[in-house]
Amino acid sequence: MEWNANNTFKTYKDMEPKAMMDMALIPNIDPIDIGLGSSEKGSVVPTSKPRKKTMTSVYLKYFETAPDGKTRRCKFCGQSYSIATATGNLGRHLSNRHPGYDKTGDVVTTSSVPQPTTPVIKKSQPQGRVTQVDYDHLNWLLIKWLILASLPPSTLEERWLANSFKFLNPSIQLWPGEKYKAVFREVFRSMREDVRVSLEQVSSKVSVTLDFWTSYEQIFYMSVTCQWIDENWSFQKVLLEICQVPYPCTGSEIYNSLVKVLKMYNIENKVLSCTHDNSQNAIHACHTLKEDLDGQKVGPFCYIPCAAHTLSLIIDDALRTTKPVIAKVREFVQELNACLDMSEDFIQLTTAYQEGSWQFPLDASARWSGNYQMLDLVHKAAKSMDAVVRKNEEMLGSRMLLNGAEKNVANIVHNYLEPFYKVINEICVNNPPTIGMVIVYMDHISDTIATRQTPDWLKSAAEDMAKKLRSYNNQVCNIFIYMTAILDPRIKCELIPESLNSENYLEEARAHFMRNYYTSHFSSMTSGYSAQDIEDGGSVSFAEEIARKKRRASMSNATDELTQYLSESPAPTKTDVLEWWKVNSTRYPRLSAMARDFLAVQATSVKPEELFCSKGDEMDKQRFCMPHDSTQAILCIKSWTQGGLKLKYKSTEIDYERLMELAAAAAADNISAGFDKKPK
């Protein structure tokens, strides 16, 4: 549920006249743990025998006189008044600020202010009970807002924000910044333990991906994300950690940070692959990790270059000759996006010239999506562009007009990059794309670069593109990627690229299957009897001997699972791979276990749309601006809640759905009360 400050203001405005909050929703925040107290609101305890106000002096028992004898202090909220204040004013304070005060059976004492709330979740309150406002509820809702918006706790220290709350309700108490930070740290610890426990339950292999960035404080960060396929053939993904990699951020530092994360979650023996960002330091770290895992003989491990980063670098080579043209078009697009009249003129002209249909605002980002749209604009709507520039020449000048040579260059590069456009769209739509299908796409790109005729001014770029692709193909042409690819039922051996298609690879894949999945998974499927038990005669009943012969027969049939699977035609390319295996896992019980492991291997270290689309600009800006004391907790908690984990504080779930229901009910009652007070 999205949350913003405006909604928060509206929900809590005029809340005191009719309080609706449920004290059981918020966990106890111990002042000893954090060094700070809770919000300053007292408890109003209803009784079954309401007392009738008979005289104004009854108000005095709800106030205490200060030692100096000059002021009186409200026992509910602490508001102070001069000793000379008329009792009528004190009564109005109680009526406005503490409705229901006259129904209390006993005088509220100062020791009851404040009372910490009880860490009980989803507890409904009895009917007819008079509830009280507790502004810790507001603070917890603000915490959820900070998480969803990826904002640091220091955001709430802005004076304008605190003053805005005070303007709406002077009694609102926001926590100090250090308290928010302490709560975030505790929430992070509680939820990380849930993640660790959930990973212990994973029965398959897992794959990890690495992403890197540097903040404005020049701190080098590495995110480690874990992926796997569960027993129901659903793809699972969880962010494990945001690490601060120590300077000088070499491969050794990256390796040490990565190993620390794997050991923290106890998955170092489960990890099957690591997809990195193609940087030399990341490659060095992954290579060292592979040497360690191979030495421990915990199973196969492979590190893989990111296909998305490779494509991005290749595209940059192709675009370098057209950067001046793209810059002109981008300036024109920014003017169109900023001026409604100009964009309407453009739409009318493209309709008249039959130059396509365009929706504003156009993507003017410096990423692939924006760059290709600039070329697409020149390719499809050159006449309309010229007409708009000439019509607004007094404002735009003539600098945005493209000459014939510039248009020709843009058109050639547009046609040259069209296959890239189609491939990137496919990779972004298939989420996550299997590495087998990505290998097929990259092979198609290689053929395109090798076979297309290019003008002389583009040949140098084409050579650099081909060099980067060869480097990528050399890194992924191995038995590990071969096994991953053939387990994609859309590919099998039929669509495997020539460079990866080898009879030796097929035999090695068969040997790996027999060695790692045939015997172990057979024993787990035969009511606890291992292969050793089957071969050992032992003293068993005649019926058990028959049963074991049946199992041996099924074991012989299982040796042909891989052969049978590969002999069948590939599935249609639009097939949902995980759904296919879910349906066919009973036909291939052992091979499906291998598929669960290998199909979780990632072709990209980041979501492709974050690298190629404008969404990545927002993410980069957010991560760049995040202070070091908030980055780990905010980004991890956000990822975990988006993945379905409940926000917890000291192992207690925060029932945000209930909090929002109460907030909405309070707002509705306040609106209703406002209508009731209108003069008739």
Side-chain angles (χ1 to χ4, degrees):
M1 182 178 294
E2 294 294 332
W3 185 253
N4 54 58
N6 291 332
N7 287 339
T8 304
F9 298 156
K10 182 177 181 182
T11 301
Y12 284 86
K13 183 180 179 182
D14 301 327
M15 204 168 176
E16 286 195 350
K18 190 168 181 63
M20 292 294 296
M21 286 304 194
D22 187 340
M23 296 291 291
L25 296 171
I26 304 299
N28 179 23
I29 298 179
D30 192 346
I32 296 175
D33 291 344
I34 301 178
L36 295 160
S38 57
S39 61
E40 297 184 5
K41 289 294 292 182
S43 300
V44 180
V45 183
T47 67
S48 58
K49 296 180 180 181
R51 297 180 65 183
K52 183 177 180 181
K53 287 192 296 183
T54 58
M55 53 187 297
T56 57
S57 60
V58 76
Y59 304 141
L60 295 178
K61 69 178 180 179
Y62 299 105
F63 292 82
E64 62 179 357
T65 304
D68 59 7
K70 295 180 180 180
T71 59
R72 287 193 179 96
R73 183 173 179 270
C74 176
K75 294 180 180 179
F76 291 115
C77 65
Q79 178 70 43
S80 294
Y81 290 91
S82 169
I83 197 71
T85 302
T87 54
N89 290 333
L90 300 182
R92 280 189 287 275
H93 168 85
L94 294 170
S95 296
N96 293 334
R97 296 296 183 122
H98 312 292
Y101 74 92
D102 54 336
K103 297 180 176 60
T104 56
D106 300 303
V107 177
V108 179
T109 62
T110 56
S111 63
S112 65
V113 184
Q115 285 289 340
T117 53
T118 306
V120 180
I121 302 305
K122 298 182 180 177
K123 178 180 177 182
S124 60
Q125 62 182 30
Q127 291 185 350
R129 179 180 177 181
V130 178
T131 59
Q132 76 145 66
V133 176
D134 188 291
Y135 289 107
D136 278 350
H137 293 185
L138 171 60
N139 285 290
W140 280 103
L141 290 171
L142 288 174
I143 281 178
K144 186 62 174 288
W145 170 61
L146 292 175
I147 292 168
L148 293 175
S150 297
L151 294 172
S154 57
T155 303
L156 298 177
E157 295 178 335
E158 294 290 341
R159 291 180 62 187
W160 65 266
L161 184 61
N163 289 339
S164 298
F165 277 107
K166 290 293 184 182
F167 173 76
L168 293 171
N169 192 329
S171 64
I172 285 177
Q173 297 290 329
L174 295 185
W175 293 336
E178 286 304 315
K179 184 170 183 178
Y180 281 111
K181 292 175 185 177
V183 170
F184 269 113
R185 288 193 293 269
E186 182 56 42
V187 169
F188 171 74
R189 285 191 290 267
S190 296
M191 296 186 70
R192 182 166 63 181
E193 180 60 21
D194 286 350
V195 174
R196 191 189 65 78
V197 171
S198 68
L199 285 173
E200 288 181 351
Q201 310 304 316
V202 175
S203 59
S204 63
K205 293 283 188 177
V206 301
S207 295
V208 297
T209 58
L210 308 179
D211 189 22
F212 303 90
W213 72 92
T214 304
S215 75
Y216 75 98
E217 297 170 303
Q218 295 304 300
I219 295 176
F220 187 68
Y221 288 102
M222 174 178 72
S223 69
V224 184
T225 306
C226 177
Q227 297 90 4
W228 70 95
I229 299 170
D230 65 20
E231 291 85 349
N232 295 319
W233 290 94
S234 295
F235 183 80
Q236 302 294 337
K237 177 179 178 180
V238 64
L239 176 64
L240 298 181
E241 186 66 279
I242 303 291
C243 309
Q244 294 184 29
V245 181
Y247 182 83
C249 312
T250 63
S252 297
E253 278 79 30
I254 293 174
Y255 162 77
N256 291 330
S257 298
L258 177 57
V259 169
K260 184 178 178 181
V261 174
L262 298 180
K263 288 184 177 180
M264 180 194 306
Y265 288 96
N266 196 28
I267 60 172
E268 66 268 29
N269 293 332
K270 288 183 178 180
V271 64
L272 183 64
S273 71
C274 180
T275 308
H276 55 77
D277 72 337
N278 304 4
S279 65
Q280 287 302 312
N281 286 339
I283 292 173
H284 173 76
C286 291
H287 180 74
T288 306
L289 179 61
K290 177 173 173 57
E291 288 182 335
D292 284 354
L293 295 178
D294 288 349
Q296 298 170 26
K297 297 182 180 180
V298 297
F301 173 80
C302 183
Y303 53 96
I304 303 164
C306 174
H309 278 95
T310 302
L311 282 172
S312 181
L313 293 172
I314 291 171
I315 289 168
D316 285 344
D317 287 336
L319 291 175
R320 70 190 182 203
T321 56
T322 57
K323 284 185 177 179
V325 178
I326 290 175
K328 278 188 177 183
V329 182
R330 179 171 285 112
E331 188 178 359
F332 170 73
V333 168
Q334 289 170 343
E335 293 289 346
L336 284 182
N337 287 340
C339 181
L340 180 60
D341 292 340
M342 201 181 299
S343 60
E344 288 178 349
D345 286 343
F346 180 78
I347 291 174
Q348 291 176 1
L349 287 165
T350 53
T351 302
Y353 289 133
Q354 296 183 343
E355 289 186 325
S357 176
W358 304 86
Q359 292 184 348
F360 285 84
L362 298 174
D363 186 356
S365 69
R367 294 181 182 263
W368 161 251
S369 58
N371 287 328
Y372 190 78
Q373 182 152 85
M374 301 304 102
L375 297 174
D376 207 39
L377 206 63
V378 178
H379 181 69
K380 296 177 180 177
K383 290 181 180 179
S384 299
M385 287 177 60
D386 288 346
V388 170
V389 172
R390 289 193 173 94
K391 181 178 178 180
N392 298 274
E393 191 169 359
E394 186 175 337
M395 180 175 63
L396 301 179
S398 59
R399 68 185 183 280
M400 297 182 193
L401 283 173
L402 301 181
N403 58 40
E406 289 173 324
K407 292 177 183 176
N408 186 49
V409 167
N411 281 318
I412 290 173
V413 174
H414 178 275
N415 291 333
Y416 190 76
L417 291 178
E418 189 174 11
F420 289 82
Y421 176 75
K422 293 178 179 178
V423 164
I424 290 171
N425 275 358
E426 285 293 318
I427 291 177
C428 289
V429 168
N430 291 307
N431 193 16
T434 66
I435 194 167
M437 191 56 75
V438 169
I439 294 297
V440 172
Y441 290 143
M442 298 295 274
D443 186 60
H444 171 67
I445 292 294
S446 296
D447 290 342
T448 299
I449 294 175
T451 58
R452 280 202 170 185
Q453 295 295 322
T454 57
D456 291 339
W457 53 267
L458 194 55
K459 283 184 178 178
S460 175
E463 290 173 359
D464 290 340
M465 295 166 73
K467 182 179 179 180
K468 289 182 174 65
L469 264 174
R470 283 196 298 272
S471 174
Y472 175 83
N473 289 331
N474 289 338
Q475 293 180 68
V476 298
C477 282
N478 54 61
I479 176 59
F480 189 97
I481 301 301
Y482 177 85
M483 290 190 292
T484 305
I486 64 172
L487 290 169
D488 186 330
R490 302 168 300 177
I491 297 173
K492 298 187 177 180
C493 293
E494 186 173 309
L495 296 182
I496 288 284
E498 190 63 31
S499 59
L500 195 58
N501 200 0
S502 166
E503 289 187 6
N504 291 337
Y505 281 168
L506 179 58
E507 290 308 311
E508 288 183 48
R510 192 184 305 278
H512 179 82
F513 167 62
M514 294 295 294
R515 183 171 58 253
N516 294 284
Y517 295 91
Y518 175 73
T519 303
S520 60
H521 284 274
F522 179 79
S523 62
S524 67
M525 299 175 63
T526 54
S527 303
Y529 289 97
S530 65
Q532 181 69 29
D533 293 331
I534 294 174
E535 295 303 324
D536 182 12
S539 56
V540 296
S541 66
F542 179 65
E544 181 59 31
E545 289 182 8
I546 296 175
R548 290 189 174 186
K549 287 181 181 179
K550 292 287 186 181
R551 294 189 187 105
R552 278 197 292 270
S554 67
M555 184 174 177
S556 299
N557 293 333
T559 60
D560 292 326
E561 277 190 23
L562 181 59
T563 301
Q564 178 64 29
Y565 164 78
L566 294 176
S567 68
E568 297 174 357
S569 299
T573 55
K574 291 185 178 181
T575 299
D576 184 316
V577 174
L578 298 188
E579 185 63 28
W580 189 95
W581 274 107
K582 183 177 182 179
V583 171
N584 289 277
S585 59
T586 53
R587 296 176 58 209
Y588 307 112
R590 298 161 180 81
L591 192 61
S592 64
M594 183 176 174
R596 268 186 66 201
D597 287 348
F598 280 83
L599 289 176
V601 175
Q602 297 298 291
T604 63
S605 61
V606 295
K607 289 183 178 180
E609 59 268 26
E610 293 174 3
L611 193 62
F612 295 118
C613 304
S614 57
K615 179 182 178 182
D617 291 329
E618 300 173 11
M619 177 170 289
D620 285 350
K621 181 180 178 181
Q622 222 170 39
R623 297 193 302 190
F624 178 80
C625 297
M626 187 79 70
H628 74 277
D629 61 354
S630 305
T631 298
Q632 181 191 49
I634 292 287
L635 296 183
C636 285
I637 293 171
K638 180 178 181 179
S639 174
W640 296 338
T641 54
Q642 288 176 337
L645 287 178
K646 299 298 183 181
L647 193 144
K648 286 187 174 182
Y649 178 83
K650 293 185 177 179
S651 302
T652 300
E653 179 186 328
I654 309 301
D655 189 3
Y656 274 104
E657 292 183 4
R658 178 63 177 155
L659 280 178
M660 291 302 295
E661 288 173 3
L662 291 172
D669 282 359
N670 288 332
I671 293 172
S672 176
F675 281 121
D676 292 342
K677 291 179 181 179
K678 285 185 177 181
K680 298 182 179 179

